[in-house]
Amino acid sequence: MCGIVGYTGPRQAYPVILKGLKRLEYRGYDSAGVALLHEGKIDVYKKKGKVAGLEEMLVGKNLDANMGIGHTRWATHGEPNDRNAHPHSSSNGKLAMIHNGIIENYAQLKNELIKNGYTFTSDTDTEVLLNFIEYIQTNNDCGLEEALRIALKRVTGAYCILLMEQDNPDTIIAARKGSPLVIGIGKGEHFLASDASPIIEYTKEVVYVNDYELAIVKPDELILKNLGNEKVTPYITKLDMQLAAIEKGGYDHFMLKEIFEQPSTIHDCLRGRLDAQAGTITMSGVQEHIEQLKNANRIMIIACGTSWHAGLVAEYVIEELCRIPVEVEYASEFRYRNPIVNKGDVIIAISQSGETADTLVALDRAKENGAFIFGVVNAVGSSIARISHAGAYTHAGPEIGVASTKAFTGQLAVLMMMALKIANEKKTITAEYYQKLLLELNDVPEKVDAILKNAAEIKTIAEKYKDATDFLFLGRGYNFPIALEGALKLKEISYIHAEGYPAAEMKHGPIALVDENLPVVFVATKDSYHEKIVSNMQEIKARKGKIISIITEGDTISPTLSNDCFSIPPADELIAPLLSVIPLQLLSYYTGIAKGIDVDKPRNLAKSVTVE
Ligand code: F6R
């Protein structure tokens, strides 16, 4: 939610910021703006819409500046328009600020400021915080850094802010709580951003700023302090990310690139961990805590969205293989109810970005109750990765398309390996079945590759049904969460209303929707429930619904009931979700394209949901 970039150093700031904003656009694209220190003055340019619109507006302007900040917005307070776009300027025009997060007590601060004569030009919480800082600075006759520290003690909510001051021409002051901030360390220059993607082409050395820290950033100096004004030693990390990983690499869209990357991202996830021939799984995070994991009274999985769906698959797999009770919780619900978390419980947090606000706060709550937290995270060095007691990265590489695809299969691969390792240690699985599943997991990249070779078949199906107004996705057992995931993908990428349901549950309500206009997608690969789901297909066919089925190669019955069929290679039912989700990702992609939607940036969404 919102992407922020800052630069101070000898280069021209604007091109660095513009390129960075384009890379961060997945975080929000309601408006974009920059503030540049030009000839001793702060110039602010901002515009509703995507970064390209800002770029177009600025063609031909004199943007000569060696320091600046830029923002791409996902609107929270105030509708997306030019006025509410960031950066905001303070009342006296001497400060400019960008913000990612929400200031919860902004109304109270605003009232205080109004009483003191302040007026506002936007509807944002950001302008309130900025003027509050200016107010403290003027009233206390202090420097910006001190004013910021005082202001932040009064603020509730989440923020990552970058501030620049007209009278301090080479310094950016930053602060974070709850929203991410990475600082890239160059030679005589510094880069600031919401994630490392705007930074990697300039330097591999970065510092991840922690909550409640302030950074005072000049071209050749980086000072970190806590809110108590004590210096904190910056911990420098080497980025392990390649530039190619964040570019489209010849594909039309990031989403398509990321779908097609899955044979290699799943392979990367398994590599060095799974040795199918030797029958071993090496995961240091699991091994170091194996007693805790195998003796867990209960596992609670906390996540949002697609990651929550990966959690549902894991629930089925862990209960089956490890015989440990599992509950899967929406982070946003968990954090506000009064959940029972006991010492012997293990929490598994699943997150692509590692920054999802609801998941982060839910984990804090669980930690307070003494739970052990295991993070399954994609973004290396992210907040969730850092607050977890142990974890395993999914190694899917940067995911830029707003819809999660390769991160999901990475999550499934990690969770499968975890379940297999724990089950093998607990002896709740036979040696033969363990070995069989290891070999099958090892074959997944090759099978995904085979599915992708037939992507054109899905494109044809997508074009046929693109004008439908509703879709139903049905699955049973391990494929039930995949039905949910298929529906979510279609909704977000094509704007078609879609619902995912357990196939048998359909009789208890959704069947009323079925008529000759309703496409019903069955995730019906060969498993122990196959005959049951075939009966469910009969029920839909009898009511003239249009059946699209994802089936296992060699299935001769389902095609006779289906209007359209897509076959995937055979796999054990526990492994099948890693395969059956691929055609559903393609279905949503090609439907979105057929409808002319910007699939990488669908309306109203943002990749990294850092507000609750
Ligand atoms: C859907 C999607 C979202 C995310 C959710 C959680 O395609 O991407 O539903 O899965 O916002 O995000 P992470 O995994 O970053 O915590």
Side-chain angles (χ1 to χ4, degrees), residues 304-307 350-354 356 402-404 488-489 492 609:
C304 302
T306 289
S307 299
I350 309 176
S351 177
Q352 187 287 126
S353 62
T356 301
V402 159
S404 191
L488 176 67
K489 282 293 87 100
E492 57 183 343
V609 185

Side-chain angles (χ1 to χ4, degrees), residues 394-454:
T394 44
H395 294 313
E399 192 179 65
I400 315 269
V402 159
S404 191
T405 53
K406 62 176 182 169
F408 178 71
T409 45
Q411 290 163 349
L412 292 186
V414 163
L415 292 160
M416 296 279 174
M417 284 190 285
M418 272 182 83
L420 280 164
K421 189 162 177 66
I422 297 168
N424 191 42
E425 292 276 343
K426 274 190 88 170
K427 304 279 172 260
T428 44
I429 181 174
T430 64
E432 294 72 38
Y433 192 36
Y434 172 76
Q435 188 57 36
K436 173 179 187 289
L437 289 176
L438 249 52
L439 288 166
E440 288 231 5
L441 200 47
N442 204 38
D443 287 346
V444 166
E446 211 177 298
K447 291 181 180 175
V448 171
D449 198 36
I451 294 171
L452 292 169
K453 290 211 163 77
N454 297 328

Side-chain angles (χ1 to χ4, degrees), residues 48 66 119 134 169 302 337 353 558 562:
K48 177 182 169 177
N66 300 114
T119 55
E134 184 205 272
I302 298 180
R337 57 189 195 83
S353 62
S558 308
S562 308

